[in-house]
Amino acid sequence: MMSRTAVCIFLMFTSVAVVRAQTAPSDLRDLTLEELLEVKISVASRTALTARDSPSIVSVITRQEIADSGARDLRELLSLLVPGIHFGADVEGVVGAGVRGMWASEGKLLLLIDGIEANEGLFGTTQWGGHYPVETIERVEVIRGPGSAVYGGYAAVGVVNVITRGGDRFASATWSQMRKSHSKRGVAFGVGSANASLTGSWFEGMRSDRDHVDYFGRRRSLAGDSRLDSVNLNLHLQHRGVDFRAIVDRYDMTQFTLFGRNFDGPALDETFHSALFRLRYEHQVRPELKVIPRLEYARHAPWQLDVPEERYSNRKRVEKPLAGAVVEWTPREGLAVTGGIESYRNDVVMLAGPGPFEERLQSGRNRLRVSATGVFAQVMKSTPVAQFTIGGRYETTNEFGSAFVPRIAATRRFERLHLKAMAAQSFRVPAGILPNRIPPGAGKLQPEKATSYELEAGYRVGANGFVTVSLFDIGFQKVIVYYANPETGIGSYVNSGRFGSRGFEADFRYVGSRASLTANLASYRSTENNVAIYAVPGHSDHFLGFPPLRFNLLAGWHVSPSVSIQPSLSWFGERHGFTGAAADGSDVLRRFEPEALVNLHIRAVSVGGLPLEIDAGLRNLTDADVPFIQPYRGYAAPLPSESRAVVVRFEYTF
């Protein structure tokens, strides 16, 4: 645990940075607070609005904030700058996300890359450890709350939309080194213009250089033996309303644990590969009417793991074609109508001749298909009282029946104050391989459904500060629960029980002429949970794995017009997790003490009068161990976190 002295030094340094904010202006920061507040986004409603006007609780991270944060990948960025998002250990060493205390990895949190769904189609998961480097990201828009009324069955508790740096021409190189091995190294680039661009990245990484102790007490060093590698290419072409995008993402890792046990010998290779394509056309029928048809195709090959000595392999792939259209109509000022239809298939394709240790489809075939059609509509009306948003989505599938989720919101913006009140339902469609994992006699899975209530107030503090506070209450029914079999590794899925979360989030921004300060706080309590695998025995108001209280602080001080220093602190409240098996066979529950991560980042721009940027810093300054804990009872021991690491990055803009 970080010493009190280190905390005091950090807070003193932060205080000095804020106090000195009234000195001469700097050329380093491009955006004022006013400009930050007026950034237009469309993630919450498909209509371009500011975060203050959007009918959802929204976080926006700009390119300037990404550069100042010192984060190396999307997981670090979200963990520092978005309240309520936390990360835990999934099976096979994968890192997954949770939102507001609830495990969201399997199909509850939607990840979009330039508006294209990036969740893999086998389980609906995303892999966050060392994935999605920040070098190619221009902006991140996050819905902290339900998004199914617009986006469908993967957006039950949130949406993360990553907008890449299309049109920027740059080249960058990054090196990050822990004590015993590198933690991240690689290059990224961008070429082209606004109408034709290509961005790409290649990175090698390591989870940690600490030792991993498995569920049964066996120890294994991760130094040089826990790869997290990624390659990404993103091609964008547009001409006269026609827009084409192709994304290739290859995420490769090594696996050293099976069914909760570290094994001897070399680590195994596990891969997650995706290819995403979208073709759309914006047709301006009349000045007030726009029609946007689109075609998408995704091919995923996730969770590809070979265990040669057991003749075991996981060689499934998923193909997802989609056709849809959106209509945007603004018949008069203050009224906007949006609607659309989407139809897709989710095909899981197995090997024609599976081996003795490979999963087989219950149908006896080698293809499992889920077909779905969704229709959505939304009306936004501005009145002297407030701006009202009413909408909903209806989706029907061949496997799971149908679901309808409405939303309603009222927002009001004054000069310094804005207020929001929202109620919505959301759902999760259990696509992918889940229909094949239903126990005999359990019947078909049904979409799980949630009801959410949210309030937000934001206030402009002086000329340079802005604070928002939000309250939320979300409850799930018919929760789709995963039960792992420690002997075979094959899990089962059933609809079982209810759970809910209630709490608050706060975010404060200060942007001065030579200093800045970002602070956010998130707190939740479990309001209802009769799903045993998420429960903490003796603590009915907590969920496994995630802290009920999180706090982040990021300060910035411009030492000169071209040099800035940004210290940051992330504080994690107490957590609980199952860490192993006792001698009598029972599971050991451990309380993890509150812990903090401290980082220091130095940024220099226009180095030598050239369009060259150099970043350097220390990650995890105090060498704290803040492991990734499994947020459900699944026989996986905590994953060690990265130790203290030195980071250096160079970027040249052409």
Side-chain angles (χ1 to χ4, degrees):
M1 184 169 162
M2 189 182 65
S3 68
R4 294 182 181 178
T5 302
V7 174
C8 292
I9 292 173
F10 176 87
L11 294 177
M12 288 174 60
F13 184 82
T14 302
S15 301
V16 170
V18 175
V19 169
R20 297 193 60 165
Q22 307 306 319
T23 55
S26 167
D27 298 328
L28 195 65
R29 175 166 292 279
D30 298 327
L31 295 179
T32 65
L33 178 65
E34 190 68 36
E35 291 168 331
L36 285 171
L37 295 178
E38 296 304 317
V39 170
K40 293 292 183 70
I41 60 173
S42 57
V43 68
S45 61
R46 294 185 186 263
T47 301
L49 298 168
T50 69
R52 297 181 68 188
D53 297 313
S54 295
S56 294
I57 296 176
V58 180
S59 294
V60 184
I61 308 172
T62 66
R63 179 63 203 166
Q64 188 73 30
E65 292 172 308
I66 294 170
D68 286 345
S69 71
R72 292 163 297 177
D73 56 48
L74 184 58
R75 180 195 64 80
E76 292 183 351
L77 190 68
L78 296 176
S79 185
L80 179 62
L81 292 178
V82 180
I85 293 185
H86 193 61
F87 296 88
D90 202 352
V91 296
E92 300 179 14
V94 169
V95 172
V99 178
R100 293 172 169 173
M102 296 172 291
W103 182 233
S105 183
E106 286 195 67
K108 285 191 177 75
L109 176 64
L110 174 64
L111 174 64
L112 303 172
I113 306 294
D114 292 310
I116 303 176
E117 179 185 293
N119 297 56
E120 54 87 2
L122 197 60
F123 298 98
T125 67
T126 50
Q127 297 72 46
W128 297 90
H131 206 176
Y132 311 113
V134 298
E135 284 83 353
T136 60
I137 299 177
E138 175 65 26
R139 188 169 77 248
V140 182
E141 305 170 350
V142 181
I143 296 177
R144 304 182 341 247
S148 293
V150 176
Y151 294 102
Y154 282 165
V157 295
V159 180
V160 177
N161 185 30
V162 175
I163 299 166
T164 57
R165 298 173 67 181
D168 284 1
R169 292 177 290 174
F170 68 94
S172 70
T174 301
W175 181 281
S176 181
Q177 181 71 31
M178 297 179 288
R179 287 190 305 263
K180 300 177 183 178
S181 69
H182 72 278
S183 61
K184 187 168 186 177
R185 60 191 180 192
V187 296
F189 70 91
V191 294
S193 63
N195 293 325
S197 65
L198 176 67
T199 59
S201 63
W202 168 84
F203 280 93
E204 292 182 337
M206 291 289 171
R207 287 186 182 89
S208 179
D209 60 356
R210 306 179 193 269
D211 289 350
H212 178 256
V213 179
D214 70 14
Y215 211 74
F216 304 94
R218 301 181 63 180
R219 183 178 296 270
R220 178 171 180 146
S221 173
L222 301 188
D225 199 22
S226 56
R227 289 191 301 107
L228 298 172
D229 302 341
S230 67
V231 177
N232 183 277
L233 291 173
N234 189 324
L235 173 67
H236 184 215
L237 305 172
Q238 58 179 357
H239 179 68
R240 295 185 177 180
V242 178
D243 185 292
F244 173 76
R245 192 175 292 273
I247 300 173
V248 175
D249 183 76
R250 298 173 65 90
Y251 180 66
D252 301 339
M253 56 187 282
T254 51
Q255 177 57 270
F256 49 87
T257 303
L258 285 177
F259 313 145
R261 298 179 184 272
N262 290 338
F263 52 84
D264 299 324
L268 305 175
D269 292 327
E270 186 162 8
T271 61
F272 300 79
H273 294 172
S274 297
L276 314 173
F277 304 92
R278 183 188 65 198
L279 177 66
R280 69 179 182 183
Y281 175 64
E282 293 195 9
H283 178 48
Q284 197 75 46
V285 181
R286 296 195 297 269
E288 73 280 5
L289 180 63
K290 182 188 294 185
V291 179
I292 310 171
R294 83 182 194 279
L295 298 173
E296 293 184 7
Y297 176 79
R299 181 186 173 97
H300 302 281
W303 304 96
Q304 305 289 294
L305 174 66
D306 282 329
V307 188
E309 63 272 21
E310 296 186 5
R311 293 190 300 159
Y312 170 87
S313 66
N314 185 354
R315 293 296 176 189
K316 308 175 186 72
R317 74 175 188 271
V318 184
E319 299 172 358
K320 185 176 182 178
L322 178 149
V326 174
V327 177
E328 299 176 357
W329 182 41
T330 54
R332 60 180 181 271
E333 186 177 357
L335 178 62
V337 181
T338 305
I341 184 171
E342 296 172 345
S343 182
Y344 67 85
R345 294 200 321 261
N346 202 83
D347 287 350
V348 179
V349 184
M350 318 283 283
L351 287 176
F357 291 92
E358 292 179 307
E359 182 177 5
R360 287 170 166 78
L361 295 180
Q362 296 175 5
S363 65
R365 303 175 181 177
N366 74 322
R367 184 179 292 263
L368 172 63
R369 173 170 294 177
V370 176
S371 301
T373 299
V375 180
F376 63 93
Q378 175 182 275
V379 177
M380 300 182 67
K381 170 66 174 176
S382 296
T383 73
V385 177
Q387 175 182 276
F388 294 97
T389 301
I390 300 175
R393 183 184 186 97
Y394 174 80
E395 190 157 313
T396 182
T397 73
N398 66 323
E399 281 281 349
F400 314 112
S402 61
F404 172 69
V405 287
R407 74 182 298 200
I408 184 170
T411 64
R412 178 66 188 270
R413 179 171 172 175
F414 304 90
E415 182 177 355
R416 288 185 171 272
L417 174 70
H418 77 254
L419 300 171
K420 300 181 182 182
M422 294 151 289
Q425 287 189 320
S426 57
F427 67 99
R428 171 193 173 194
V429 172
I433 195 66
L434 271 63
N436 201 57
R437 300 283 186 88
I438 304 171
K444 286 190 174 184
L445 288 175
Q446 300 178 47
E448 62 181 60
K449 206 168 187 180
T451 302
S452 302
Y453 302 97
E454 299 174 303
L455 297 172
E456 181 181 88
Y459 187 73
R460 183 79 174 262
V461 182
N464 303 103
F466 194 81
V467 61
T468 59
V469 177
S470 56
L471 306 175
F472 63 86
D473 185 294
I474 180 169
F476 277 87
Q477 301 179 17
K478 301 179 181 178
V479 177
I480 300 172
V481 179
Y482 166 79
Y483 292 97
N485 185 328
E487 299 300 325
T488 66
I490 301 297
S492 298
Y493 291 86
V494 295
N495 289 103
S496 174
R498 306 161 59 97
F499 68 34
S501 176
R502 179 182 299 156
F504 71 90
E505 298 155 349
D507 187 279
F508 175 74
R509 303 291 177 95
Y510 177 91
V511 182
S513 55
R514 283 193 63 177
S516 63
L517 180 66
T518 298
N520 60 68
L521 177 69
S523 176
Y524 83 86
R525 287 291 181 271
S526 170
T527 55
E528 180 181 24
N529 181 17
N530 58 16
V531 183
I533 66 168
Y534 299 132
V536 181
H539 297 270
S540 60
D541 58 344
H542 290 188
F543 289 114
L544 279 175
F546 297 138
L549 185 64
R550 274 285 311 276
F551 174 69
N552 293 301
L553 188 65
L554 173 65
W557 175 32
H558 298 174
V559 180
S560 73
S562 60
V563 178
S564 64
I565 299 175
Q566 291 95 10
S568 65
L569 178 146
S570 293
W571 184 85
F572 304 77
E574 66 170 351
R575 296 181 290 166
H576 294 85
F578 288 99
T579 59
D584 61 359
S586 62
D587 296 323
V588 177
L589 178 68
R590 175 185 164 188
R591 177 183 181 271
F592 291 77
E593 296 290 339
E595 190 56 274
L597 290 176
V598 180
N599 307 309
L600 180 63
H601 177 231
I602 301 173
R603 182 172 174 233
V605 300
S606 302
V607 178
L610 300 172
L612 173 65
E613 178 180 321
I614 299 177
D615 298 83
L618 286 172
R619 304 291 301 182
N620 193 5
L621 190 64
T622 62
D623 201 27
D625 186 10
V626 185
F628 298 100
I629 303 170
Q630 192 167 44
Y632 58 93
R633 205 164 183 169
Y635 309 103
L639 280 175
S641 66
E642 182 184 73
S643 63
R644 183 187 297 113
V646 178
V647 184
V648 180
R649 178 188 292 129
F650 301 87
E651 179 173 308
Y652 191 90
T653 304
F654 298 95

mmCIF file of all heavy atoms in Angstrom, residues 19-34:
data_model
loop_
_atom_site.group_PDB
_atom_site.id
_atom_site.type_symbol
_atom_site.label_atom_id
_atom_site.label_comp_id
_atom_site.label_asym_id
_atom_site.label_seq_id
_atom_site.Cartn_x
_atom_site.Cartn_y
_atom_site.Cartn_z
ATOM 1 N N VAL A 19 -2.542 26.304 -7.788
ATOM 2 C CA VAL A 19 -2.315 27.657 -7.306
ATOM 3 C C VAL A 19 -1.618 28.504 -8.359
ATOM 4 O O VAL A 19 -1.913 29.690 -8.531
ATOM 5 C CB VAL A 19 -1.489 27.623 -6.000
ATOM 6 C CG1 VAL A 19 -1.005 29.009 -5.630
ATOM 7 C CG2 VAL A 19 -2.328 27.051 -4.871
ATOM 8 N N ARG A 20 -0.691 27.901 -9.114
ATOM 9 C CA ARG A 20 0.063 28.653 -10.105
ATOM 10 C C ARG A 20 -0.696 28.823 -11.411
ATOM 11 O O ARG A 20 -0.153 29.285 -12.400
ATOM 12 C CB ARG A 20 1.391 27.947 -10.380
ATOM 13 C CG ARG A 20 2.277 27.884 -9.135
ATOM 14 C CD ARG A 20 3.679 27.485 -9.481
ATOM 15 N NE ARG A 20 4.264 28.442 -10.399
ATOM 16 C CZ ARG A 20 5.584 28.522 -10.653
ATOM 17 N NH1 ARG A 20 6.410 27.725 -10.043
ATOM 18 N NH2 ARG A 20 6.041 29.393 -11.517
ATOM 19 N N ALA A 21 -1.973 28.457 -11.432
ATOM 20 C CA ALA A 21 -2.742 28.503 -12.675
ATOM 21 C C ALA A 21 -3.000 29.914 -13.175
ATOM 22 O O ALA A 21 -3.400 30.096 -14.310
ATOM 23 C CB ALA A 21 -4.086 27.797 -12.485
ATOM 24 N N GLN A 22 -2.793 30.915 -12.372
ATOM 25 C CA GLN A 22 -3.131 32.271 -12.779
ATOM 26 C C GLN A 22 -1.981 32.995 -13.476
ATOM 27 O O GLN A 22 -2.084 34.166 -13.784
ATOM 28 C CB GLN A 22 -3.552 33.079 -11.546
ATOM 29 C CG GLN A 22 -4.652 32.409 -10.730
ATOM 30 C CD GLN A 22 -5.851 32.075 -11.562
ATOM 31 O OE1 GLN A 22 -6.251 32.861 -12.408
ATOM 32 N NE2 GLN A 22 -6.422 30.906 -11.342
ATOM 33 N N THR A 23 -0.872 32.292 -13.722
ATOM 34 C CA THR A 23 0.262 32.938 -14.369
ATOM 35 C C THR A 23 0.060 32.988 -15.870
ATOM 36 O O THR A 23 -1.000 32.672 -16.390
ATOM 37 C CB THR A 23 1.550 32.202 -14.005
ATOM 38 O OG1 THR A 23 1.396 30.828 -14.357
ATOM 39 C CG2 THR A 23 1.819 32.310 -12.522
ATOM 40 N N ALA A 24 1.136 33.321 -16.587
ATOM 41 C CA ALA A 24 1.052 33.613 -18.014
ATOM 42 C C ALA A 24 0.498 32.431 -18.802
ATOM 43 O O ALA A 24 0.672 31.285 -18.433
ATOM 44 C CB ALA A 24 2.441 33.963 -18.539
ATOM 45 N N PRO A 25 -0.185 32.699 -19.940
ATOM 46 C CA PRO A 25 -0.770 31.623 -20.719
ATOM 47 C C PRO A 25 0.285 30.748 -21.380
ATOM 48 O O PRO A 25 1.419 31.143 -21.559
ATOM 49 C CB PRO A 25 -1.618 32.359 -21.764
ATOM 50 C CG PRO A 25 -0.997 33.700 -21.878
ATOM 51 C CD PRO A 25 -0.474 34.024 -20.524
ATOM 52 N N SER A 26 -0.151 29.538 -21.766
ATOM 53 C CA SER A 26 0.755 28.577 -22.378
ATOM 54 C C SER A 26 0.302 28.256 -23.781
ATOM 55 O O SER A 26 -0.871 28.323 -24.106
ATOM 56 C CB SER A 26 0.798 27.308 -21.538
ATOM 57 O OG SER A 26 1.412 26.272 -22.250
ATOM 58 N N ASP A 27 1.241 27.884 -24.642
ATOM 59 C CA ASP A 27 0.920 27.451 -25.985
ATOM 60 C C ASP A 27 0.633 25.953 -26.046
ATOM 61 O O ASP A 27 0.291 25.433 -27.086
ATOM 62 C CB ASP A 27 2.084 27.768 -26.936
ATOM 63 C CG ASP A 27 2.356 29.259 -27.017
ATOM 64 O OD1 ASP A 27 1.404 30.038 -26.885
ATOM 65 O OD2 ASP A 27 3.514 29.625 -27.198
ATOM 66 N N LEU A 28 0.810 25.255 -24.938
ATOM 67 C CA LEU A 28 0.718 23.806 -24.946
ATOM 68 C C LEU A 28 -0.726 23.331 -25.019
ATOM 69 O O LEU A 28 -1.050 22.416 -25.764
ATOM 70 C CB LEU A 28 1.389 23.238 -23.697
ATOM 71 C CG LEU A 28 1.695 21.756 -23.707
ATOM 72 C CD1 LEU A 28 2.728 21.436 -24.765
ATOM 73 C CD2 LEU A 28 2.188 21.305 -22.350
ATOM 74 N N ARG A 29 -1.614 23.934 -24.256
ATOM 75 C CA ARG A 29 -3.010 23.477 -24.227
ATOM 76 C C ARG A 29 -3.791 24.160 -25.340
ATOM 77 O O ARG A 29 -3.811 25.373 -25.468
ATOM 78 C CB ARG A 29 -3.634 23.788 -22.868
ATOM 79 C CG ARG A 29 -5.104 23.447 -22.797
ATOM 80 C CD ARG A 29 -5.630 23.445 -21.392
ATOM 81 N NE ARG A 29 -5.079 22.350 -20.624
ATOM 82 C CZ ARG A 29 -5.540 21.105 -20.684
ATOM 83 N NH1 ARG A 29 -6.540 20.810 -21.488
ATOM 84 N NH2 ARG A 29 -4.999 20.161 -19.955
ATOM 85 N N ASP A 30 -4.442 23.340 -26.159
ATOM 86 C CA ASP A 30 -5.169 23.852 -27.313
ATOM 87 C C ASP A 30 -6.609 24.215 -26.998
ATOM 88 O O ASP A 30 -7.177 25.104 -27.612
ATOM 89 C CB ASP A 30 -5.152 22.806 -28.440
ATOM 90 C CG ASP A 30 -3.742 22.496 -28.916
ATOM 91 O OD1 ASP A 30 -2.903 23.404 -28.899
ATOM 92 O OD2 ASP A 30 -3.505 21.344 -29.297
ATOM 93 N N LEU A 31 -7.236 23.510 -26.053
ATOM 94 C CA LEU A 31 -8.656 23.689 -25.788
ATOM 95 C C LEU A 31 -8.880 24.407 -24.463
ATOM 96 O O LEU A 31 -8.315 24.044 -23.442
ATOM 97 C CB LEU A 31 -9.370 22.337 -25.749
ATOM 98 C CG LEU A 31 -9.404 21.528 -27.047
ATOM 99 C CD1 LEU A 31 -10.115 20.210 -26.820
ATOM 100 C CD2 LEU A 31 -10.072 22.303 -28.155
ATOM 101 N N THR A 32 -9.709 25.433 -24.489
ATOM 102 C CA THR A 32 -10.149 26.070 -23.253
ATOM 103 C C THR A 32 -11.293 25.250 -22.661
ATOM 104 O O THR A 32 -11.827 24.328 -23.294
ATOM 105 C CB THR A 32 -10.634 27.493 -23.532
ATOM 106 O OG1 THR A 32 -11.802 27.431 -24.374
ATOM 107 C CG2 THR A 32 -9.556 28.307 -24.229
ATOM 108 N N LEU A 33 -11.705 25.591 -21.449
ATOM 109 C CA LEU A 33 -12.830 24.902 -20.843
ATOM 110 C C LEU A 33 -14.087 25.091 -21.683
ATOM 111 O O LEU A 33 -14.869 24.150 -21.880
ATOM 112 C CB LEU A 33 -13.062 25.416 -19.423
ATOM 113 C CG LEU A 33 -14.255 24.790 -18.695
ATOM 114 C CD1 LEU A 33 -14.028 23.309 -18.464
ATOM 115 C CD2 LEU A 33 -14.523 25.507 -17.383
ATOM 116 N N GLU A 34 -14.292 26.279 -22.189
ATOM 117 C CA GLU A 34 -15.468 26.551 -23.018
ATOM 118 C C GLU A 34 -15.495 25.632 -24.232
ATOM 119 O O GLU A 34 -16.535 25.067 -24.600
ATOM 120 C CB GLU A 34 -15.464 28.011 -23.469
ATOM 121 C CG GLU A 34 -16.753 28.466 -24.132
ATOM 122 C CD GLU A 34 -17.913 28.516 -23.145
ATOM 123 O OE1 GLU A 34 -17.689 28.875 -21.977
ATOM 124 O OE2 GLU A 34 -19.040 28.188 -23.567
#
